[in-house]
Amino acid sequence: MQELNQAAAPNASRDTIDLEWANLLSPQRRGLLRRGGLLAALAASGLAGTALAQDERQAPRLKAAPGKSPWGEHTDTAPTPRPANVRPGEEHLPAAPRAYTDIESYHAHIYFDEDSFQKAALMRKWAAERFSVELGDWNTEPRGPHVTPSFYFGFTNELLPVIVPWLQLNSLGLTILIHPNTDDPRADHLYYALWVNRSQPVNGYAMKKPGPGEPRVEQIYVNTHPTVKLETARA
Ligand code: ZN
């Protein structure tokens, strides 16, 4: 706004400035700007980034597209359908609770990104040095139901009372999914989960129960070789 402000034109009266603004914003002027190269004109007039520039950019989007919606014209009055139950094994209200002994092992999935991978690497090293677990490979891209980079380790039920508090105190702020392994992987990931820190989406709706001949529950094959004694306050 160099040519309009008081510093650039110290003698300009308030009325002159208002008039110049009115001219700049007049329909003819706006037509000119459109025809004569909007960006150059805006740069010259100092109007880039102002209300006018935004108006010019957004105006076309405000117009509805011609034609009819493929959804028809009366979606607003369609009846509300009751969706089918997607809760695992619960087509009806269950008659009894599920036995907690259906859990045969656990997984901890640690999520990270391009900014937090070093935290993940440190935690991975610490865990492998201290616990007998099945440590998976790095997943630097989404894999299976996991929508961000991750790694995981699997562990047996006996370690649960130690691993959960250990992960709580050593997450380094990363998002961690802890899920049990039963015969229903979809439920394990979507409904039976524990989270350390914030949760994030898990794309597990297509997961299926194991087919005939496949192991009924995911097995844990320990592959770490702990060398460090677990820290305790009394150590
Ligand atoms: Zn898992």
Side-chain angles (χ1 to χ4, degrees):
M1 232 59 48
Q2 286 306 312
E3 60 274 70
L4 287 177
N5 69 25
Q6 292 285 4
N11 298 323
S13 72
R14 188 79 229 160
D15 285 351
T16 314
I17 292 171
D18 287 349
L19 184 64
E20 286 200 40
W21 267 109
N23 285 339
L24 270 171
L25 298 171
S26 73
Q28 292 89 335
R29 176 69 183 223
R30 291 172 62 174
L32 211 85
L33 291 178
R34 221 176 284 125
R35 283 191 299 278
L38 181 60
L39 286 179
L42 286 174
S45 69
L47 273 175
T50 66
L52 172 59
Q54 279 198 344
D55 182 37
E56 291 287 348
R57 283 198 304 271
Q58 288 176 359
R61 275 188 248 143
L62 296 174
K63 291 186 190 125
K68 298 264 186 197
S69 165
W71 300 108
E73 300 303 309
H74 299 289
T75 42
D76 54 337
T77 53
T80 305
R82 183 178 188 191
N85 187 349
V86 294
R87 286 188 297 278
E90 291 184 19
E91 284 71 31
H92 309 285
L93 206 55
R98 216 181 151 177
Y100 78 94
T101 47
D102 286 352
I103 296 174
E104 298 204 6
S105 61
Y106 282 87
H107 281 179
H109 292 270
I110 293 88
Y111 298 112
F112 59 91
D113 61 21
E114 69 276 21
D115 294 323
S116 58
F117 71 98
Q118 285 165 315
K119 290 182 175 180
L122 182 59
M123 226 186 70
R124 179 183 169 92
K125 177 175 169 301
W126 282 350
E129 286 171 347
R130 286 162 178 78
F131 298 112
S132 293
V133 296
E134 181 174 11
L135 180 62
D137 219 342
W138 288 106
N139 296 321
T140 55
E141 292 188 357
R143 178 172 171 170
H146 310 291
V147 300
T148 61
S150 67
F151 75 89
Y152 91 99
F153 59 85
F155 54 96
T156 52
N157 293 355
E158 303 81 65
L159 278 178
L160 187 74
V162 178
I163 296 266
V164 170
W166 191 85
L167 286 174
Q168 285 179 303
L169 298 193
N170 294 291
S171 71
L172 306 177
L174 299 177
T175 288
I176 302 173
L177 164 66
I178 301 168
H179 71 77
N181 289 310
T182 70
D183 63 352
D184 190 337
R186 185 176 67 165
D188 294 343
H189 287 81
L190 297 178
Y191 300 110
Y192 304 156
L194 281 177
W195 290 93
V196 176
N197 296 316
R198 297 155 296 281
S199 64
Q200 69 175 41
V202 178
N203 185 9
Y205 284 90
M207 296 182 105
K208 298 259 184 321
K209 287 193 178 189
E214 293 175 324
R216 199 178 61 80
V217 181
E218 197 156 335
Q219 302 297 304
I220 303 295
Y221 303 101
V222 170
N223 64 357
T224 56
H225 311 280
T227 54
V228 175
K229 188 170 179 289
L230 194 60
E231 293 82 359
T232 63
R234 278 173 242 101

PDB file of all heavy atoms in Angstrom, residues 1-9 44-46:
ATOM      1  N   MET A   1       0.845  -1.211   0.000  1.00  0.00           N
ATOM      2  CA  MET A   1       0.000   0.000   0.000  1.00  0.00           C
ATOM      3  C   MET A   1       0.869   1.246   0.000  1.00  0.00           C
ATOM      4  O   MET A   1       0.496   2.261   0.544  1.00  0.00           O
ATOM      5  CB  MET A   1      -0.870  -0.012   1.270  1.00  0.00           C
ATOM      6  CG  MET A   1      -2.336   0.176   1.032  1.00  0.00           C
ATOM      7  SD  MET A   1      -3.067  -1.050  -0.024  1.00  0.00           S
ATOM      8  CE  MET A   1      -2.442  -2.551   0.674  1.00  0.00           C
ATOM      9  N   GLN A   2       2.058   1.135  -0.605  1.00  0.00           N
ATOM     10  CA  GLN A   2       3.015   2.238  -0.494  1.00  0.00           C
ATOM     11  C   GLN A   2       2.431   3.567  -0.969  1.00  0.00           C
ATOM     12  O   GLN A   2       2.570   4.568  -0.319  1.00  0.00           O
ATOM     13  CB  GLN A   2       4.287   1.932  -1.313  1.00  0.00           C
ATOM     14  CG  GLN A   2       5.177   0.888  -0.666  1.00  0.00           C
ATOM     15  CD  GLN A   2       5.536   1.235   0.768  1.00  0.00           C
ATOM     16  OE1 GLN A   2       5.935   2.368   1.057  1.00  0.00           O
ATOM     17  NE2 GLN A   2       5.394   0.302   1.690  1.00  0.00           N
ATOM     18  N   GLU A   3       1.745   3.542  -2.161  1.00  0.00           N
ATOM     19  CA  GLU A   3       1.276   4.816  -2.713  1.00  0.00           C
ATOM     20  C   GLU A   3       0.056   5.339  -1.966  1.00  0.00           C
ATOM     21  O   GLU A   3      -0.392   6.430  -2.206  1.00  0.00           O
ATOM     22  CB  GLU A   3       0.997   4.710  -4.220  1.00  0.00           C
ATOM     23  CG  GLU A   3      -0.060   3.701  -4.614  1.00  0.00           C
ATOM     24  CD  GLU A   3       0.545   2.307  -4.787  1.00  0.00           C
ATOM     25  OE1 GLU A   3       0.948   1.683  -3.788  1.00  0.00           O
ATOM     26  OE2 GLU A   3       0.617   1.852  -5.914  1.00  0.00           O
ATOM     27  N   LEU A   4      -0.491   4.506  -1.072  1.00  0.00           N
ATOM     28  CA  LEU A   4      -1.700   4.946  -0.374  1.00  0.00           C
ATOM     29  C   LEU A   4      -1.446   5.394   1.062  1.00  0.00           C
ATOM     30  O   LEU A   4      -2.252   6.118   1.625  1.00  0.00           O
ATOM     31  CB  LEU A   4      -2.723   3.803  -0.332  1.00  0.00           C
ATOM     32  CG  LEU A   4      -3.399   3.510  -1.673  1.00  0.00           C
ATOM     33  CD1 LEU A   4      -4.319   2.319  -1.502  1.00  0.00           C
ATOM     34  CD2 LEU A   4      -4.158   4.717  -2.184  1.00  0.00           C
ATOM     35  N   ASN A   5      -0.345   4.951   1.621  1.00  0.00           N
ATOM     36  CA  ASN A   5      -0.230   5.273   3.049  1.00  0.00           C
ATOM     37  C   ASN A   5       0.356   6.665   3.287  1.00  0.00           C
ATOM     38  O   ASN A   5       0.920   7.291   2.400  1.00  0.00           O
ATOM     39  CB  ASN A   5       0.526   4.172   3.808  1.00  0.00           C
ATOM     40  CG  ASN A   5       1.992   4.132   3.429  1.00  0.00           C
ATOM     41  OD1 ASN A   5       2.557   5.140   2.993  1.00  0.00           O
ATOM     42  ND2 ASN A   5       2.602   2.972   3.583  1.00  0.00           N
ATOM     43  N   GLN A   6       0.197   7.111   4.479  1.00  0.00           N
ATOM     44  CA  GLN A   6       0.559   8.490   4.810  1.00  0.00           C
ATOM     45  C   GLN A   6       2.056   8.737   4.660  1.00  0.00           C
ATOM     46  O   GLN A   6       2.472   9.812   4.253  1.00  0.00           O
ATOM     47  CB  GLN A   6       0.143   8.799   6.252  1.00  0.00           C
ATOM     48  CG  GLN A   6      -1.363   8.844   6.451  1.00  0.00           C
ATOM     49  CD  GLN A   6      -2.013  10.104   5.901  1.00  0.00           C
ATOM     50  OE1 GLN A   6      -1.351  10.933   5.285  1.00  0.00           O
ATOM     51  NE2 GLN A   6      -3.304  10.257   6.108  1.00  0.00           N
ATOM     52  N   ALA A   7       2.868   7.702   4.929  1.00  0.00           N
ATOM     53  CA  ALA A   7       4.317   7.896   4.856  1.00  0.00           C
ATOM     54  C   ALA A   7       4.744   8.177   3.417  1.00  0.00           C
ATOM     55  O   ALA A   7       5.575   9.042   3.155  1.00  0.00           O
ATOM     56  CB  ALA A   7       5.026   6.652   5.385  1.00  0.00           C
ATOM     57  N   ALA A   8       4.132   7.432   2.449  1.00  0.00           N
ATOM     58  CA  ALA A   8       4.524   7.606   1.054  1.00  0.00           C
ATOM     59  C   ALA A   8       3.927   8.879   0.456  1.00  0.00           C
ATOM     60  O   ALA A   8       4.477   9.455  -0.455  1.00  0.00           O
ATOM     61  CB  ALA A   8       4.078   6.393   0.245  1.00  0.00           C
ATOM     62  N   ALA A   9       2.784   9.280   0.950  1.00  0.00           N
ATOM     63  CA  ALA A   9       2.133  10.492   0.438  1.00  0.00           C
ATOM     64  C   ALA A   9       1.733  11.354   1.634  1.00  0.00           C
ATOM     65  O   ALA A   9       0.563  11.403   2.012  1.00  0.00           O
ATOM     66  CB  ALA A   9       0.908  10.121  -0.395  1.00  0.00           C
ATOM     67  N   ALA A  44       1.287  -4.580  -8.161  1.00  0.00           N
ATOM     68  CA  ALA A  44       1.510  -3.156  -8.402  1.00  0.00           C
ATOM     69  C   ALA A  44       0.655  -2.300  -7.477  1.00  0.00           C
ATOM     70  O   ALA A  44       1.098  -1.278  -6.974  1.00  0.00           O
ATOM     71  CB  ALA A  44       1.201  -2.833  -9.862  1.00  0.00           C
ATOM     72  N   SER A  45      -0.551  -2.753  -7.203  1.00  0.00           N
ATOM     73  CA  SER A  45      -1.440  -1.937  -6.378  1.00  0.00           C
ATOM     74  C   SER A  45      -1.243  -2.228  -4.891  1.00  0.00           C
ATOM     75  O   SER A  45      -1.820  -1.562  -4.050  1.00  0.00           O
ATOM     76  CB  SER A  45      -2.893  -2.193  -6.769  1.00  0.00           C
ATOM     77  OG  SER A  45      -3.242  -3.507  -6.371  1.00  0.00           O
ATOM     78  N   GLY A  46      -0.441  -3.248  -4.609  1.00  0.00           N
ATOM     79  CA  GLY A  46      -0.220  -3.567  -3.204  1.00  0.00           C
ATOM     80  C   GLY A  46      -1.400  -4.269  -2.563  1.00  0.00           C
ATOM     81  O   GLY A  46      -1.494  -4.356  -1.352  1.00  0.00           O
TER      82      GLY A  46
END
